[in-house]
Amino acid sequence: SQQGEEDPQALSIQEGENATMNCSYKTSINNLQWYRQNSGRGLVHLILIRSNEREKHSGRLRVTLDTSKKSSSLLITASRAADTASYFCATDTIRGGGADGLTFGKGTHLIIQP
Amino acid sequence: DTGVSQDPRHKITKRGQNVTFRCDPISEHNRLYWYRQTLGQGPEFLTYFQNEAQLEKSRLLSDRFSAERPKGSFSTLEIQRTEQGDSAMYLCASSLGGTLQETQYFGPGTRLLVL
């Protein structure tokens, strides 16, 4: 089953605008990661935020994490046409035995209009 | 290129046939993961290796699926007696493992179509 739920499922904005995507999850986590996937291709890692962190930046990306609400957001500033892709959050849940497979949501499909 | 590689990139097979996929992780990575992704969904975890040991298997991994990582380097995923429901993208990922080294790096995937 998929733990994460991204919101919205689809988002279309004009180039230059900011894009915000949200992710909610159900169980306690070690960390949360965001990935990008261009159509029919593999996933590209964007950013990892640990459960004891609240905000993280990487270039035009800003990620927040609220463990009390079990939610995260990904902000892409000054969007570009090349940002058109599906974005997934993935959680590394706390289970016995250490690191385990990631649990992904269904993704947000982002379209940047030129 | 020192990223994760997968072979083949595409596979078309007939129902009932066996298929095998290969994954070469980033060379110094101890952990290797297999995921399956169907259209419109996020990847779903199948199994993971720490070096050559298979440490976890999802309930999605039926008896027809088997994965190996014999020398702790490359891995193979075999599907026996394929069914149409096996059609999906099969993704491999690797990570260095250990605290502060959890980022998983994905390969380009193998797209399987079962006719």
Side-chain angles (χ1 to χ4, degrees), chain A residues 2 35 37 50 99-100 102, chain B residues 31 35 37 42 56 102 104:
Chain A
Q2 300 194 302
Y35 286 85
Q37 186 176 38
R50 302 186 191 289
D100 303 300
L102 296 174
Chain B
R31 291 182 174 158
Y35 293 83
Q37 185 179 25
E56 186 170 346
E102 311 99 316
Q104 293 185 24

Side-chain angles (χ1 to χ4, degrees), chain A residues 10-32:
Chain A
L11 179 62
S12 179
I13 61 173
Q14 294 295 121
E15 193 167 18
E17 293 180 340
N18 296 342
T20 300
M21 289 158 271
N22 301 297
C23 166
S24 60
Y25 58 91
K26 298 174 184 174
T27 62
S28 297
I29 62 171
N30 289 313
N31 61 64
L32 184 144

Side-chain angles (χ1 to χ4, degrees), chain B residues 35-50:
Chain B
Y35 293 83
R36 182 176 69 188
Q37 185 179 25
T38 54
L39 199 62
Q41 302 293 315
E44 293 177 294
F45 169 71
L46 293 178
T47 188
Y48 119 85
F49 292 84
Q50 170 88 17

Side-chain angles (χ1 to χ4, degrees), chain A residues 62-75:
Chain A
R62 172 176 167 259
V63 168
T64 63
L65 179 65
D66 186 337
T67 52
S68 66
K69 295 181 180 179
K70 293 187 169 57
S71 66
S72 173
S73 68
L74 170 67
L75 169 67

Side-chain angles (χ1 to χ4, degrees), chain A residues 70-105:
Chain A
K70 293 187 169 57
S71 66
S72 173
S73 68
L74 170 67
L75 169 67
I76 303 174
T77 60
S79 62
R80 306 168 182 169
D83 295 329
T84 294
S86 292
Y87 291 82
F88 295 92
C89 69
T91 51
D92 181 0
T93 58
I94 296 174
R95 288 180 280 193
D100 303 300
L102 296 174
T103 303
F104 286 82

